[in-house]
Amino acid sequence: MQASMNGRYFGDTRDLFKFDLVRHIMKSLPDLAGFIFVPMLTGTEAEGYQKNSARKDLEKAYRSGKAGSQNQELREHLTRLQEIDDDLEYITGIRTYFNKEMILIDIPGRRRFTNHDRDTYFRSVFNEFPKNSLIFIDPDTGLGEENPDKKHLLLPEVKTAYDRMDSGSILMIYQHFPRVKHEEYVRRRCMQLEECTGTEPAVITDNEIVFFLLAKNQKLAARLKNVLECYADTYPALQSLHCS
């Protein structure tokens, strides 16, 4: 089970994948004017947790060809951020990286996310998206169904975000794989997202985590799929999947 966003996971291989993928998309689609990061921060873990993790050795990740590991500057930046314990400070460090990459970043969800206050949280986040943006919603675990908690994003919230974004934008969602067959899981989630939004998502995965991406504009969606396929070709462990 994945814990809440906390120092144990800051700057690990999953962050290396997600933020390098964001950089790749932003650099490959210059029509995108900015990056909207919705981190769904759930707080730091109690004292006494073990901070070491095999997923935090980014040099080993480079040697083994993990997704994002060819980005030396990001590897070094995330390694420095691993020393941070506070999630809000960590998010500031992520902003610094994208500023250096000359990628305009906005982080509207910087306050703590709780399950009972989720409606208020998302009303503030979804109030107004800039046009032509990559909108990345990053829950701790991913989409939730039965008994969702603060680690989950709900399908009605996906629909709200999708409906609010303009036709020049892309919605990107993080998902941690549960202990089920991955292909069946991806297929089921794709069907749910298409039923929810009317759009078939693009998918990219390293078989540990998966990202679902939605674009309203068909030409933009086709360009996005090409961008993901090119990125997947860079790393042997990656797959860019088609839902249908």
Side-chain angles (χ1 to χ4, degrees), residues 2 8-18 53 55-58 78 82 90:
Q2 187 168 343
R8 182 182 296 183
Y9 301 103
F10 290 168
D12 67 3
T13 55
R14 293 173 179 175
D15 278 1
L16 185 65
F17 179 12
K18 74 173 66 166
S53 167
R55 292 203 306 267
K56 297 188 79 168
D57 187 342
L58 301 189
L78 290 179
Q82 288 176 5
Y90 180 70

Side-chain angles (χ1 to χ4, degrees), residues 50-66:
Q50 296 296 314
K51 190 164 183 176
N52 58 353
S53 167
R55 292 203 306 267
K56 297 188 79 168
D57 187 342
L58 301 189
E59 290 307 311
K60 181 179 179 180
Y62 173 70
R63 294 192 298 272
S64 60
K66 289 281 190 179

